Amino acid sequence: MIFKRFESNHSGRDLVVGDVHGHFSKLQKALNAVQFDPQKDRLFSVGDLIDRGPQSEQVLEWLARP
């Protein structure tokens, strides 16, 4: 099994999301609800991201950002 380790995020929060299933608007709504700040917070995505929802392309574009 391969593990990826990350340094601690001292400037913000680390959030984990999974099972988005191509529903970008639901992902965005959830991130807005917790006031996600891409300048200091990190989002780790796991699970099914794009397999059946109508906004799979938007999910991939958003997650490809640094």
Side-chain angles (χ1 to χ4, degrees):
M1 186 171 277
I2 297 173
F3 292 93
K4 175 91 175 168
R5 297 193 186 276
F6 295 88
E7 295 293 323
S8 295
N9 181 3
H10 296 289
S11 64
R13 302 168 295 166
D14 289 338
L15 304 168
V16 179
V17 64
D19 295 327
V20 175
H21 293 289
H23 292 278
F24 180 74
S25 58
K26 290 181 180 181
L27 171 62
Q28 190 64 61
K29 184 177 179 180
L31 293 174
N32 289 344
V34 297
Q35 297 178 343
F36 178 77
D37 181 351
Q39 297 300 316
K40 59 184 180 178
D41 296 332
R42 294 188 296 196
L43 178 65
F44 293 92
S45 56
V46 298
D48 300 317
L49 298 174
I50 61 167
D51 64 344
R52 55 182 159 229
Q55 302 161 321
S56 292
E57 188 172 324
Q58 287 175 289
V59 172
L60 290 175
E61 289 171 3
W62 194 88
L63 292 173
R65 296 179 190 171

